[in-house]
Amino acid sequence: MPQNLKLAVAQARTLSSTTATLSALSETTQRAAKQSVNLILFPEAYLGGYPRTCNFGAAVGGRNPIGREQFLAYFHDAVDLGDTPAGAGDDWVERKLPVAKGNEWRGDGTREALEGIARETGVFIVTGIVERAGGSLYCSVLCICPREGVLGKRRKVMPTGSERLIWAQGSPSTLKAISTTIEGVRLTLAAAICWENYMPLLRHSLYSQNVNLYLAPTADARETWLPLMQTIACEGRAFVLSANQCVRRRNLPDWIKRDAPGVTEAKQRNGTQIATSDSVNGSNDTPSSRPHLRRGSTVTKTEDNHEITWPLPKPTTAKREGKEGQDEEKEKKEVSSAATSTASLSNPSAETVTNGHAPSSPRFSLPSFDFTIPKKPTEKPSAPFLPRRESTVTKIEDHHELALPPVPNNNTTNASNPPSSTSISTSPPTSQSTPDPADFVSRGGSCIISPTGTILAGPLWEIEDVEDGGMLIVTVDFEDCERGRLDLDVAGSYSRNDSFKLMVEGLDLNRRTSGPRSYRMACKRTRL
């Protein structure tokens, strides 16, 4: 007998506030319910938002106040589900954690709102969410049954790239699959978030739990994502649902596109001109946001391509007399001698150094150098100071300096006239053209894949909203998963588990996939 369910993927984008996004989730779920959808998946970080293009004012060794204000705004957009920073697991799911006196629930009520939407529509909801617990944020996925409420929550165990600055690592114990029954169809579902899907052992931990519905909310909008989803579906002999947001630049949060509230005050407290994320990228060329020019100094290069910066000598109007004047003259001679000596080591052929770099040469065809450091010369060296390469500088709150290279002039550069690595620009740095607000910063790519790797729906490209066709709906037969395991079961007959073992800290891969009683209870559809 066919085990049919209707599955949906919503390519929906985060709106201007978490409240507005939660309302949009409710409308999308109601739309899905009218088409008899049993389960719907929303993208990664749908509630709370994925802060695409934002660098949070961070560089190696420094952070600036603007980035802290951006993080504050992002922290406020995140939702409080009432869980602990370490993750309380089943105690949180089963509401065993204590509730503060006078409160109806733990958290800000988002969990209860989602449970209400699932109960009213009769649709099983799986959504990405940015969760705050204590002082940290977690990228999470929440599974909500129409009958039982929240059945499980897992946190991303390995944030990708810059995500590691803003998202904490979740516990691997949350990789536990959820078993439930929807309209008589037995499901074992689990989620891997975005680039967790590139972690073979993590994928295998889900396969080992006999998953037949594999959920992959993501922020990866590259064309290489689709073949990965096909591989996972074929490898795990499971249906794969992947949801991503489609976002234009103009729809990014205001605190990413321009100064967040409190930035002006942060600048005043710091007492320095700080470049915003826009001014660093050249898209905000107002007088208040332009980085100031780098302080006057000179530079020499060593053989290891390190730079040594020397301050320019202070001008004097009259020669000082006595011991103080003699000490000053001696200091000038030593500084000039050191600069000349270092320059001779890095550039013995006296070639012109441009923008702080010697003319390019083959990497492994370096000329031979005389590494003998000369003793103090008897006469004052006549070699001039070398001009420091053109750049701009910004100061961060810790009083470190961030040097930014000048922006090339695109008007005078083309394919037939490439920029010369030895040319010197005498004009001040110019800003790049302002990015087009209509540009896509994420093109989407949501899809549904069968257990044999066949594309059942999608991928959706450059469709922003559900009402414009951004929802994929497919009726599937879950017996196709068993049919596919005739020749491939990577957690069973094809696993060679007598030779290969996988252990996940805090997760029992040998537990019965039926799970607790509440997980096995049927999720009946509620009529609207």
Side-chain angles (χ1 to χ4, degrees), residues 168-214:
Q169 294 180 339
S171 169
S173 64
T174 65
L175 289 166
K176 181 172 62 175
I178 295 173
S179 293
T180 189
T181 303
I182 300 179
E183 294 192 351
V185 179
R186 173 71 175 276
L187 292 183
T188 302
L189 59 93
I193 306 171
C194 202
W195 274 26
E196 286 184 333
N197 290 282
Y198 283 112
M199 301 172 68
L201 295 181
L202 186 146
R203 295 205 311 260
H204 192 73
S205 72
L206 303 185
Y207 302 154
S208 298
Q209 299 175 74
N210 201 35
V211 167
N212 60 0
L213 181 57
Y214 189 110

Side-chain angles (χ1 to χ4, degrees), residues 340-364:
T340 305
S341 299
T342 309
S344 65
L345 283 174
S346 62
N347 198 3
S349 59
E351 294 175 312
T352 302
V353 176
T354 305
N355 288 339
H357 297 280
S360 60
S361 59
R363 183 173 180 182
F364 298 105

Side-chain angles (χ1 to χ4, degrees), residues 8 18 37 39 89 117 135-136 181 189 203 228 417 420 451 455 490 498:
T18 303
V37 167
L39 181 146
I117 295 170
S136 295
T181 303
L189 59 93
R203 295 205 311 260
L228 174 63
N417 184 26
S420 171
I455 300 172
V490 295
D498 58 326

Side-chain angles (χ1 to χ4, degrees), residues 16 45 70 76 89 204 274 313 319 369 402 440 486:
S16 58
Q70 289 175 324
H76 289 165
H204 192 73
I274 304 170
K319 185 175 180 180
F369 295 113
L402 302 179
F440 286 97
L486 166 68

